[in-house]
Amino acid sequence: MSRLLAPSVSGDPAELAAAVLADMRSAPSGELATLLTADRTEAPPLSLVFPTEQPSTLGMSAARLPLLLADRPREPAPLPPEPAVDDDSDEVPELFCPGPVRDNPALGEEVNERMVEWAGEVGIYEGRLDHLRSCGFGRLIMLTHPGTDDPDRLLAAAKVVVAEWASDDYYLDEEEMGADPAMAAARFGVLYGVVDPVSMPRRYRHELERFIKEEPIALAFRTGMEHLSQYTSVAQMARFQHQMAILFQALDQNASWRHTGRRPAVWEYYMHRYHNSYLPPMILVDAVAGYELPAQEFYHPRLRRAFCMAGMASVLLNDLHSMDKEADDDISLPIALMEEEGLSRQQAVKRTVEIHNELMHGFVTESAALYLEGTPMLQRFLADTWAWCGGSREWHATSRRYHSEESP
């Protein structure tokens, strides 16, 4: 991973960032096992791509995991060395992120068309459905969930992902769609009462129902989560709701910066982005694929750390792509770096890629230890998370949400 992209790729930092994401020539394998077992002579006990049979019920093996993680010394397999960082150069290093495990355009198009039809029914993006269609959120879900080819399972995930994006657009980002940072916290607070349904007193129940029917974002979440509930256990739905609470709180923080005009320090923005990340859609990887990682594994601090690093790294790709498309009062990691540290735009792109790579190397290092100590279900979850990152990279490199029709 030592080759550098020369500045001649583009003189414009935004185009350079897009080129870095689109360049798959040195992308690590989408099969996580090839990174974790490259120097091991024995074959891995489980394919870390997508087994043809679902792992069996874990029984007592799952209960052993916390003890194993606490008591056994870490024995990660040797990993590819991180590329050297040249602080005196503005050249942007290669992105340490896989490409997609599968790309099925027909499946992505089917999910996308069903998603657009649903969006029209609930009323989000009224008058902008052609633009919504062009963004290809159905393709995003197809790319990030290669563990299933069932369009209805993929559609369930697509609905809640689009509802998440729409809430950001309607309440925080797009003034022409009614966004108002001064009202964002109040609106997100009510919206969370739809995501995690509130049991209202009988006298006021009809007012909440009227609000949901009249507020497209609320109706999108209700109908999307009703669809999602067909494929999630109680625990999987609860962890999704919990992650949405974290996301809404982080969006409130973003709204406060816009409303007051205060600009966060780099470390503060980094903490914000750790929570305003891609964890809500990523948290569905096992549900969409048709299995469930038990709570004692999913919430273990070491897995949570690895999972959060992957979510943060993935959302930094969004920061790179959207840095020239955000409103003047919005912020991204490259913008925070330019404002606080006086970096040029190209230097900020470089630093952001370096931070992304540090996070992804951290995810792989943690995965190597967890792979040796964990259960087949945990290994599958790590593989699905790695695949999600690769699919997200491909979508960001090609989606019309970030690229004009003339873009390569």
Side-chain angles (χ1 to χ4, degrees), residues 33 37 43-49 51 53 55 371 375-380:
T37 62
L46 175 77
S47 168
L48 292 193
V49 195
E53 297 183 2
Y371 162 73
T375 61
M377 199 77 78
L378 176 61
Q379 294 167 352
R380 171 69 190 270

Side-chain angles (χ1 to χ4, degrees), residues 281-408:
M282 290 173 64
I283 216 165
L284 301 175
V285 293
D286 58 340
V288 175
Y291 67 99
E292 180 179 359
L293 185 68
Q296 63 265 36
E297 292 182 292
F298 179 81
Y299 285 109
H300 192 280
R302 278 179 59 191
L303 179 61
R304 180 68 177 176
R305 168 180 159 78
F307 192 56
C308 287
M309 286 193 290
M312 173 66 171
S314 292
V315 86
L316 290 185
L317 305 189
N318 181 280
D319 273 18
L320 286 171
H321 266 305
S322 60
M323 61 185 292
D324 282 352
K325 300 179 183 296
E326 302 289 3
D328 291 340
D329 60 351
D330 201 3
I331 193 165
S332 65
L333 184 58
I335 291 174
L337 289 165
M338 288 187 288
E339 290 182 350
E340 181 178 343
E341 301 184 17
L343 301 185
S344 68
R345 295 178 75 81
Q346 174 126 348
Q347 290 169 332
V349 169
K350 174 194 174 187
R351 181 75 59 79
T352 300
V353 171
E354 290 170 350
I355 292 172
H356 167 278
N357 289 352
E358 179 181 339
L359 288 163
M360 289 298 278
H361 276 283
F363 170 78
V364 173
T365 300
E366 289 284 358
S367 296
L370 292 166
Y371 162 73
L372 290 172
E373 302 167 353
T375 61
M377 199 77 78
L378 176 61
Q379 294 167 352
R380 171 69 190 270
F381 187 84
L382 292 167
D384 282 326
T385 300
W386 182 247
W388 197 99
C389 293
S392 178
R393 174 186 183 174
E394 174 69 14
W395 181 75
H396 279 86
T398 57
S399 173
R400 294 304 178 194
R401 183 174 175 90
Y402 304 104
H403 306 280
S404 65
E405 295 290 340
E406 294 76 22
S407 298

Side-chain angles (χ1 to χ4, degrees), residues 141-196:
I141 300 305
M142 176 276 297
L143 288 167
T144 53
H145 294 282
T148 183
D149 58 5
D150 182 346
D152 195 66
R153 298 185 80 94
L154 297 171
L155 178 62
K159 287 179 178 179
V160 293
V161 166
V162 171
E164 292 164 26
W165 244 283
S167 65
D168 196 2
D169 287 342
Y170 272 75
Y171 291 169
L172 190 59
D173 281 342
E174 306 290 344
E175 290 186 7
E176 64 271 24
M177 299 172 71
D180 181 357
M183 292 294 297
R187 288 175 166 177
F188 283 125
V190 174
L191 189 59
Y192 187 69
V194 178
V195 173
D196 188 359

